[in-house]
Amino acid sequence: MGLNVTSSTISLGEGSTPLVPARRLSERLGLELHLKCEGLNPTGSFKDRGMVVAVERAAESGARAVVCASTGNTAASAAAYAARAGLEAIVLTPAGATATAKRAQARAAGARLFEIRGSFDDALRLCRELGERDGFVLVNSLNPDRVEGQKSVVGEILEQLGSAPDIVALPFGGGGNVSAVAAGFAEAGASPRLVIGQAAERATTWATAIRISEPAHGAHVAELVGAGRVEVVTLSEDELRVAWQLLSHQEGVFCEPASAAGLAALERLPDVEGTTVVCILTGHGLKDAGAVDEGGSNPVDATLEAVLEAIG
Ligand code: F0G
């Protein structure tokens, strides 16, 4: 843990992401909010923290290929680190349900990407089976090296804030990230409230990164909830959209839709006034620029008069 960049030979400089004070949103909520901008990792999402570890171990084990199911970000990350390690990356995504830029990232790095006629859950089931084959290593978060690497965000938050926050809020898709964050805080001897936001419409949500019906870490998350260490907030599509827009409109921080689930969950909590909160923003807004309503094309004549009239 800590601010050091991993010494891995395939590191791309993951981690050390900014913790940005959110002044306007803090005022709105009556608390002290900080945004952990994980979209500033090398491939634009938090996945890089664990992927660098998992791919390096896969290479050490003599694997031929890493395999993963993905809603997009895991694919982009696996592809980049596999390229550096000289391994093949085999990626299964749900057809028609992932953001274009994420598929482009994976293909750019030479991954073999197959859009399967099925859901993310189908893709994960297939990848678990592939991962049993000789030479293939599964690099979804069921791989413990992924979770191990993802813990590094905790050390950074503690170091950047100077103490543990009262609340840490983040999205809940498959539950790998909250498992890592919970383990990281436990190891650091800190116990903030961990609040996770999930889409009510898991199978169809607009936030495609968390379009997951059966969370792979669901049983573990249920245990953490039972032990009083994690609270789950179930969010409407509108709540996700509003939180995502607030981050951009009020703070200039453009994250992808799923990443706003932590803030949306926080907005729902009673009794949070005066607390110190960190929202983990898991992926960059440019990953899913198509989520922004461009408001149609409105060309303006190339004269000052026309521009002034358009400004109004
Ligand atoms: N936020 C983003 C941007 C994600 O890409 C994901 C998961 C999550 C949150 C949820 O994290 O699954 O650990 O609870 N994306 C995976 C993928 C499924 O394939 O990229 P989780």
Side-chain angles (χ1 to χ4, degrees):
M1 276 196 234
L3 286 171
N4 60 312
V5 169
T6 168
S7 60
S8 161
T9 52
I10 59 166
S11 172
L12 287 162
E14 49 288 332
S16 303
T17 56
L19 185 70
V20 175
R23 189 178 53 80
R24 297 183 68 199
L25 287 177
S26 292
E27 265 172 38
R28 172 188 162 94
L29 294 161
L31 44 73
E32 186 188 315
L33 177 65
H34 301 261
L35 307 174
K36 184 64 171 160
C37 298
E38 290 289 281
L40 279 89
N41 274 296
T43 75
S45 85
F46 73 101
K47 307 283 181 183
D48 295 339
R49 293 180 183 274
M51 196 60 75
V52 64
V53 181
V55 174
E56 173 138 66
R57 298 248 164 96
E60 283 166 6
S61 77
R64 162 190 150 194
V66 294
V67 300
C68 65
S70 183
T71 56
N73 284 324
T74 298
S77 186
Y81 290 99
R84 274 175 85 71
L87 294 180
E88 267 184 80
I90 296 167
V91 173
L92 304 190
T93 65
T98 56
T100 308
K102 297 175 184 178
R103 293 196 308 278
Q105 281 184 290
R107 290 203 163 110
R112 303 190 56 209
L113 185 148
F114 303 100
E115 293 193 72
I116 60 147
R117 295 187 194 90
S119 64
F120 168 81
D121 307 276
D122 294 323
L124 182 57
R125 177 176 45 78
L126 292 167
C127 283
R128 290 174 82 152
E129 288 175 26
L130 277 177
E132 303 282 309
R133 304 275 165 129
D134 256 8
F136 288 0
V137 173
L138 182 74
V139 292
N140 280 102
S141 64
L142 293 161
N143 180 326
D145 298 329
R146 280 277 312 280
V147 173
E148 195 55 38
Q150 273 171 222
K151 286 184 198 168
S152 65
V153 72
V154 170
E156 284 180 26
I157 290 170
L158 292 172
E159 210 162 320
Q160 289 168 314
L161 212 53
S163 62
D166 300 307
I167 300 172
V168 176
L170 64 154
F172 173 25
N177 204 26
V178 66
S179 298
V181 168
F185 277 113
E187 282 172 21
S191 48
R193 285 173 74 181
L194 300 182
V195 177
I196 56 179
Q198 68 175 351
E201 296 174 36
R202 272 187 169 269
T204 55
T205 179
W206 160 77
T208 56
I210 53 172
R211 202 178 272 184
I212 298 170
S213 294
E214 300 157 35
H217 297 266
H220 184 231
V221 172
E223 265 172 44
L224 292 168
V225 171
R229 292 179 56 201
V230 168
E231 297 156 63
V232 182
V233 178
T234 300
L235 303 160
S236 71
E237 295 292 286
D238 261 5
E239 285 175 300
L240 283 170
R241 213 179 282 272
V242 166
W244 171 73
Q245 271 173 357
L246 277 172
L247 286 160
S248 280
H249 288 191
Q250 305 268 308
E251 299 294 348
V253 175
F254 182 32
C255 65
E256 66 171 285
S259 302
L263 178 64
L266 178 67
E267 292 249 12
R268 273 268 213 92
L269 295 186
D271 309 326
V272 291
E273 235 166 84
T275 57
T276 300
V277 183
V278 172
C279 279
I280 301 180
L281 305 184
T282 46
H284 202 287
L286 292 174
K287 287 274 196 175
D288 197 356
V292 181
D293 175 10
E294 289 175 33
S297 168
N298 56 343
V300 172
D301 286 344
T303 65
L304 185 59
E305 292 74 21
V307 171
L308 284 171
E309 196 187 319
I311 291 169

